[in-house]
Amino acid sequence: KSCKLCFSEALNIELSLNDQCVSHHFTTDEEVKTHTQHLEVGQCGNCGLVQTTSPFPVDELTPNYSWITCTEPEGHLDALVADLRTFKEVDSSSSIVGLSFKEETTLARFNALNYSNTRILNPLNDFEIENANSKIELVQHRFTHERANKLREKYGEARIFIARHILEHAYNLVDFVSASLALVAVGGYVVFEIPDCETGLVNGDPTILWEEHTVCFTEATFKRLFEVMGLTIVYFKKIHYKYENAFVAVIEKQSENTLMKQPHHFGDVKNDMELYQAFVRRFDQNKKKIIDTLISWQALGKKVAFIGAGHMANSFINYYDIGKYIDFVIDDNEQMQNLHMPRCKNKIVSSKCIKAGLVDIILSSISELGEKKLKEKHGAYLDELDFMSIYSQDRDSIYRYVYLQHEKLEG
């Protein structure tokens, strides 16, 4: 096994999560078997990148259901588009290409400003992906330097190529970046946007881990990816959001020679080493304290539910291994209801259970918008419950609760 960024074999693995499932492999019955494997999370001793060392088979990541969706935060896109419009040789006639459906809303903003020469690469025509349920798991797998050269011949050179929240899914980081650069003209730009995992690493937060993510970037390791390839970042921003920040980096293509797989030493990566060690240590501490808290609630006869059946909930429940202490999972997506969560097998029900008084404590993985809708729907009933977020940086986080309880017991 070698590092996905610098190809060093100095990988240190101190976190192994046994018998994990794909987070969207919901089942109709508790007894239905799905693909399971260990999820190993390690760190490169040379460049400091935290990464999975045992990726799931790509074909297993394609959803079984057509209604599986994924969205990314978009509050910064107007400003990003405004900034990109100021770049050298970018005008309304410039060719702007998006890698996947995740770029649709960005290109729509360009279109609204009369930038009409835009294109989203097509899963079937450009990547030969016939399964309509596929999201980005097969796109990242089939987006190679060789295919990018063919797409460039087919459509011509792009001035801007955009790939939002897909680089962290790539099984081959360097080839993915190289393929992205192959699509643009010399002097053109590649825009990468990724989640910032640093806060989650500091807090030992399992929701930064996901079987579809191969790496957990911090600002330092994200920038090192381009350093190892001899590339220059011409624009970099950290975007702040409530639950998960993001980084945007723009690379200018300065020559046709973009693929540089060479040994590289990054100097002092002590801070990165300490961050990974802290993550593993805090992860174990969190798990123990949360399980102790759930056991105490169970002893008091409290009914505990999760709300939101997405991959964040799957990470929290299954990586901490707490399914046995959760009574059910709430989600108002009707197509999910009466299905069972992967691995933990908790049943998914509608939020009507809140009005029915069937739950005492709710652990929430839903977004700010989701919480707002829930309060509009069940506000008075929610006031009667204990409602806690699973996100470590949230003011109403379960982490804050369990550590305060622990301090009281010790005091």
Side-chain angles (χ1 to χ4, degrees), residues 116-172:
S116 58
N117 190 10
T118 61
R119 175 187 301 277
I120 300 287
L121 295 179
N122 184 277
L124 178 60
N125 297 336
D126 296 325
F127 296 107
E128 300 169 14
I129 298 172
E130 297 181 353
N131 190 333
N133 291 350
S134 178
K135 300 302 178 187
I136 58 172
E137 73 291 335
L138 291 181
V139 171
Q140 69 79 20
H141 185 61
R142 298 186 183 184
F143 184 54
T144 62
H145 190 276
E146 180 182 2
R147 187 180 294 271
N149 283 334
K150 292 178 180 178
L151 291 171
R152 179 175 171 173
E153 291 175 8
K154 181 178 179 181
Y155 296 121
E157 299 174 328
R159 176 58 51 185
I160 299 176
F161 177 71
I162 305 172
R164 296 185 63 231
H165 292 268
I166 186 169
L167 178 63
E168 67 275 14
H169 294 250
Y171 280 37
N172 188 326

Side-chain angles (χ1 to χ4, degrees), residues 69-109:
T69 60
C70 54
T71 57
E72 307 299 348
E74 298 188 350
H76 63 289
L77 290 185
D78 285 343
L80 175 59
V81 168
D83 287 345
L84 291 174
R85 292 176 65 206
T86 68
F87 282 29
K88 185 174 60 178
E89 295 187 37
V90 172
D91 57 37
S92 59
S93 66
S94 296
S95 172
I96 305 173
V97 178
L99 179 57
S100 76
F101 66 91
K102 290 191 174 188
E103 281 68 68
E104 289 174 355
T105 52
T106 309
L107 296 197
R109 285 167 165 81

Side-chain angles (χ1 to χ4, degrees), residues 186-367:
V186 172
Y189 307 96
V190 176
V191 182
F192 293 112
E193 181 178 313
I194 60 154
D196 170 16
C197 295
E198 186 157 351
T199 300
L201 288 169
V202 168
N203 293 330
D205 189 339
T207 64
I208 65 169
L209 306 177
W210 185 21
E211 73 281 351
E212 291 197 34
H213 283 183
T214 61
V215 292
C216 296
F217 280 119
T218 62
E219 180 173 342
T221 54
F222 186 35
K223 289 179 176 178
R224 284 177 196 145
L225 171 60
F226 306 117
E227 179 184 334
V228 80
M229 297 183 69
L231 301 172
T232 302
I233 300 171
V234 295
Y235 174 100
F236 190 90
K237 278 199 174 178
K238 181 175 181 176
I239 313 297
H240 294 272
Y241 283 104
K242 182 177 180 181
Y243 296 132
E244 182 181 72
N245 297 327
F247 296 122
V248 176
V250 181
I251 308 302
E252 182 177 357
K253 181 175 177 177
Q254 297 176 337
S255 74
E256 291 294 352
N257 182 22
T258 59
L259 186 59
M260 299 175 66
K261 290 187 179 181
Q262 58 187 28
H264 195 97
H265 180 65
F266 293 93
D268 185 8
V269 293
K270 181 181 176 182
N271 289 341
D272 302 279
M273 299 296 114
E274 291 176 350
L275 188 59
Y276 175 68
Q277 294 297 322
F279 170 70
V280 174
R281 186 168 58 250
R282 192 64 182 262
F283 180 97
D284 289 338
Q285 292 171 352
N286 291 344
K287 179 179 177 180
K288 182 182 185 305
K289 287 180 170 58
I290 286 171
I291 288 177
D292 287 347
T293 298
L294 290 167
I295 289 173
S296 70
W297 287 342
Q298 210 171 54
L300 293 171
K302 300 289 187 181
K303 292 291 184 182
V304 182
F306 236 83
I307 188 160
H311 76 82
M312 297 291 198
N314 178 78
S315 297
F316 194 94
I317 296 171
N318 285 326
Y319 299 166
Y320 277 159
D321 202 18
I322 59 172
K324 63 177 74 70
Y325 310 110
I326 305 296
D327 290 281
F328 46 82
V329 175
I330 300 167
D331 201 295
D332 278 340
N333 180 339
E334 293 182 0
Q335 292 163 308
M336 284 186 173
Q337 290 163 19
N338 295 316
L339 294 177
H340 295 266
M341 292 288 288
R343 188 177 185 268
C344 59
K345 301 302 182 184
N346 297 108
K347 190 174 183 179
I348 303 171
V349 302
S350 88
S351 64
K352 292 177 182 177
C353 66
I354 297 173
K355 283 186 178 180
L358 299 178
V359 59
D360 301 301
I361 300 168
I362 291 179
L363 303 181
S364 172
S365 67
I366 59 179
S367 65

Side-chain angles (χ1 to χ4, degrees), residues 58-74:
V58 171
D59 290 343
E60 288 289 340
L61 301 180
T62 298
N64 296 326
Y65 302 99
S66 61
W67 41 263
I68 300 291
T69 60
C70 54
T71 57
E72 307 299 348
E74 298 188 350

